[in-house]
Amino acid sequence: MKTLKNNLNIQEIQNNLKHKHNIEIFDSIDSTNKYLKSKINEKNYGTIVISNEQTNGYGKNNRQFMSNKDVGIYMSILINPNCLIEESLKITILTSVAILSAIKSICNLDVKLKWVNDIILNDLKVGGILCESQINLSTNIIDNMIVGIGINVKEFEFLPSLKNIATSIENNINFKISRNALISEIINFFDLYFIEKANYIDLYKENSYVLGKDIKVIQNDKQFYAKAIDIDDSGSLIVQEQEKIIKLISSDISIR
């Protein structure tokens, strides 16, 4: 058994899992995604790396992700999605629904999902997802993918620059939760959707933070305003710009 003073516990997590996973826990690491990328040829699929702290956590477009000690879940999962590049969004969507399902199961909170990789609680960001892939260029198929998950769990004081942007789970409830229990639930729901192929697209749409809303789309060096009208089975966001219907695969969006 590996127990850290911060109470992250491999045995406690594994005891509550439906499917077996090799789990590694660190007290501090630069980035769980970076670690798995550096060891990708040495690790089995399904390996999960968790750290109590990240000293260089990052998100989409290499934006810094605050990963303070003892207060969050910072984890990465190595998988083989065996899908085309165009289908890779589905893994981010799937992971979002797994996190939503786990938080609702443990905390009964009304979590929303902002396309494509943000977890929203009371209009503030409580977590995010970063999927990084190795692609076989001859087949256009993703051979390896690292699914990075970051969630603010414990109650703590955010920097002034983040107070109107971010929140934590415990900042929205009146009881303490076990990070081990929440990690186990996230993994179990991830396995339900990824391994057991349970439907998740409908849940994503039902809990969307953007569908039906007017949004600003930032795409490369251009931006335009549109209305989010649907999310298709590949995970793409369908928007309407005046009379045009546009399918978004990779863009930054904000609510108007």
Side-chain angles (χ1 to χ4, degrees):
M1 180 187 294
K2 185 172 183 179
T3 306
L4 300 176
K5 63 182 179 181
N6 51 65
N7 296 323
L8 288 177
N9 185 295
I10 289 177
Q11 198 62 54
E12 189 176 334
I13 294 167
Q14 287 181 328
N15 285 345
N16 291 306
L17 296 184
K18 184 174 179 182
H19 295 272
K20 288 184 178 180
H21 288 269
N22 176 49
I23 296 175
E24 300 177 38
I25 290 181
F26 292 87
D27 192 35
S28 183
I29 201 171
D30 61 344
S31 156
T32 55
N33 266 33
K34 281 184 180 178
Y35 172 78
L36 265 183
K37 279 195 284 187
S38 72
K39 306 282 186 181
I40 201 160
N41 295 320
E42 304 170 25
K43 305 297 182 183
N44 294 325
Y45 292 125
T47 294
I48 298 172
V49 176
I50 306 165
S51 186
N52 189 49
E53 173 191 43
Q54 291 184 127
T55 57
N56 191 25
Y58 60 95
K60 188 177 178 183
N61 297 325
N62 213 33
R63 298 186 186 112
Q64 183 182 19
F65 182 84
M66 297 300 294
S67 310
N68 294 342
K69 199 175 186 71
D70 298 330
V71 297
I73 291 173
Y74 320 117
M75 60 188 281
S76 298
I77 309 170
L78 175 62
I79 62 170
N80 176 14
N82 193 30
C83 67
L84 295 171
I85 299 170
E86 303 84 65
E87 301 175 306
S88 62
L89 271 182
K90 292 195 297 186
I91 304 299
T92 304
I93 298 289
L94 179 157
T95 308
S96 298
V97 176
I99 295 169
L100 173 140
S101 301
I103 293 175
K104 285 194 171 185
S105 171
I106 297 284
C107 312
N108 195 32
L109 286 169
D110 187 22
V111 177
K112 296 298 180 185
L113 304 174
K114 179 175 175 283
W115 188 88
V116 61
N117 63 335
D118 288 344
I119 314 300
I120 303 295
L121 183 56
N122 290 329
D123 297 318
L124 300 174
K125 182 174 177 177
V126 75
I129 298 154
L130 179 66
C131 294
E132 299 184 278
S133 305
Q134 279 189 345
I135 299 162
N136 186 325
L137 294 178
S138 64
T139 62
N140 205 34
I141 287 177
I142 297 173
D143 289 334
N144 301 303
M145 180 181 282
I146 296 165
V147 179
I149 296 168
I151 305 170
N152 302 322
V153 178
K154 296 296 181 179
E155 187 172 6
F156 68 98
E157 190 71 19
F158 285 88
L159 295 172
S161 60
L162 295 175
K163 277 191 173 180
N164 295 321
I165 299 172
T167 189
S168 75
I169 293 173
E170 285 191 0
N171 281 0
N172 292 271
I173 55 178
N174 58 6
F175 58 93
K176 302 297 182 184
I177 62 173
S178 161
R179 285 185 293 165
N180 294 313
L182 186 54
I183 288 167
S184 296
E185 281 291 270
I186 291 169
I187 296 168
N188 280 332
F189 277 110
F190 182 90
D191 289 345
L192 174 69
Y193 302 127
F194 182 67
I195 297 174
E196 300 177 33
K197 309 297 185 186
N199 180 278
Y200 54 87
I201 290 288
D202 289 344
L203 275 171
Y204 190 91
K205 292 202 282 189
E206 287 168 16
N207 294 280
S208 171
Y209 188 67
V210 302
L211 285 184
K213 293 182 179 179
D214 294 322
I215 60 173
K216 180 170 75 172
V217 180
I218 303 167
Q219 203 169 44
N220 300 320
D221 58 346
K222 298 178 181 179
Q223 66 179 44
F224 61 92
Y225 295 98
K227 185 171 185 175
I229 59 173
D230 198 9
I231 294 162
D232 70 14
D233 288 344
S234 71
S236 300
L237 181 65
I238 311 301
V239 303
Q240 183 168 5
E241 182 197 18
Q242 296 179 349
E243 300 302 317
K244 291 190 294 184
I245 302 296
I246 302 169
K247 178 177 177 177
L248 301 180
I249 297 172
S250 177
S251 304
D252 279 337
I253 64 168
S254 60
I255 308 298
R256 288 183 65 182

